[in-house]
Amino acid sequence: MANDTPWVLGLTGGIGSGKSTASKRFGELGIDIVDADKVARQVVEPGTQGLTKIAARYGDDILTPEKELDRAKLREIIFSNNEEKAWLNALLHPMIRTEMFAQLNQAQSDYVILEAPLLFENNLDKYCSRTLLIDLPVELQIARASARDGAKRSQIRTIIESQLNRTEKVRKSDDIISNTSSISELRNKVWRYHQCYLRLASLQSC
C-alpha cells in the first residue's frame, strides 16, 4: 500500500453494536486503526492550539485543575447555544480532519481503518475506499449497551435517536456484519472480511 494513497476502510456502528470489539479484532490481524474519537480528544490535549484557543475564548474556568479541557463545562456552554457550538465546530473540525488524514497516511498496514461512530453523520465515508457497518436491532443494541455501561435504557435510546437511523446506515454501508450472535462469531466474520479487504487493497496498489 502506498502511503500517499492508503486504502481506507470506514468502520462504524452505534453504541452497543460491537464496533469496538470488531476494531480490536482488525488490530489483532495487523491492521492500523485511526480512531476518530481519539483524534478529537488529541486536538484539545494540553499544549495544543485547540485547547489554547478554547481557553482564550472561555477563560481558565474551562480547564480542570490538571489544565485539561473540562468537557462537562464545555458541553454546558454549547448545549443550548448554537452560536458557540458553531464556533467550536469551525475551530476543531479542520484540526480533527488534518490530524486524521496525517494518521491515515502514516499507516504501514496493507490497508487502514478509520473507526468512527458518526462516519456517515460527519460525511467521513467520502474519504473511505469501502465502509463496514457493525449492525444489530435497536432493542438489542439498547440492552447490550445498558448491561455494559449500567446506563439507563432511556439515555441510550436518546443517543441512538440523535444519530442516523439504522435503515439509513444500512443503505449507506458497502458491507454489513450482523452482530446478533456471539463474540467468537463476530471475530470470525471480521476475519473473513479482512481477507476480502486484503485482496481489494492489493488490487489498488498493483
Side-chain angles (χ1 to χ4, degrees):
M1 179 186 71
N3 276 351
D4 57 343
T5 56
W7 195 95
V8 181
L9 173 67
L11 175 63
T12 192
I15 183 172
S17 66
K19 173 182 60 64
S20 297
T21 300
S23 177
K24 182 179 178 181
R25 178 58 173 151
F26 277 111
E28 292 171 355
L29 293 168
I31 300 305
D32 292 335
I33 297 165
V34 177
D35 185 330
D37 283 352
K38 287 183 179 178
V39 173
R41 292 191 292 271
Q42 288 169 352
V43 300
V44 290
E45 287 178 347
T48 60
Q49 184 183 34
L51 185 58
T52 298
K53 289 191 174 183
I54 290 172
R57 186 172 182 88
Y58 301 121
D60 288 345
D61 285 346
I62 204 67
L63 304 177
T64 68
E66 295 75 30
K67 302 301 180 183
E68 297 177 344
L69 178 62
D70 190 325
R71 297 177 183 279
K73 286 184 179 178
L74 184 60
R75 280 194 296 269
E76 288 177 9
I77 291 172
I78 67 172
F79 179 73
S80 57
N81 191 320
N82 289 333
E83 183 179 339
E84 292 304 319
K85 185 176 183 179
W87 177 86
L88 187 67
N89 287 340
L91 171 70
L92 296 183
H93 283 184
M95 294 180 179
I96 292 169
R97 296 196 180 212
T98 297
E99 178 61 24
M100 187 178 70
F101 293 145
Q103 293 186 20
L104 289 171
N105 286 320
Q106 289 166 6
Q108 297 298 309
S109 52
D110 292 309
Y111 63 93
V112 58
I113 285 176
L114 173 58
E115 178 184 350
L118 300 179
L119 186 79
F120 298 120
E121 290 88 339
N122 289 338
N123 296 316
L124 298 176
D125 55 309
K126 67 182 179 181
Y127 305 114
C128 301
S129 309
R130 201 166 180 88
T131 56
L132 172 63
L133 170 69
I134 310 301
D135 176 64
L136 71 168
V138 172
E139 289 305 319
L140 183 54
Q141 190 179 347
I142 292 171
R144 288 184 179 178
S146 178
R148 182 193 66 190
D149 301 334
K152 292 182 179 178
R153 294 173 70 94
S154 59
Q155 292 175 326
I156 296 169
R157 187 179 294 277
T158 298
I159 293 172
I160 292 172
E161 290 177 350
S162 71
Q163 300 173 358
L164 194 67
N165 66 58
R166 183 189 179 198
T167 301
E168 280 299 295
K169 285 182 179 180
V170 168
R171 185 183 67 81
K172 286 176 172 288
S173 299
D174 295 310
D175 301 315
I176 301 166
I177 288 179
S178 176
N179 185 25
T180 56
S181 186
S182 63
I183 291 178
S184 62
E185 179 61 21
L186 173 60
R187 288 170 58 85
N188 288 337
K189 289 178 179 178
V190 167
W191 185 87
R192 290 195 291 272
Y193 271 109
H194 169 65
Q195 304 308 312
C196 175
Y197 299 143
L198 286 173
R199 291 193 295 272
L200 290 172
S202 67
L203 287 173
Q204 174 182 279
S205 61
C206 291

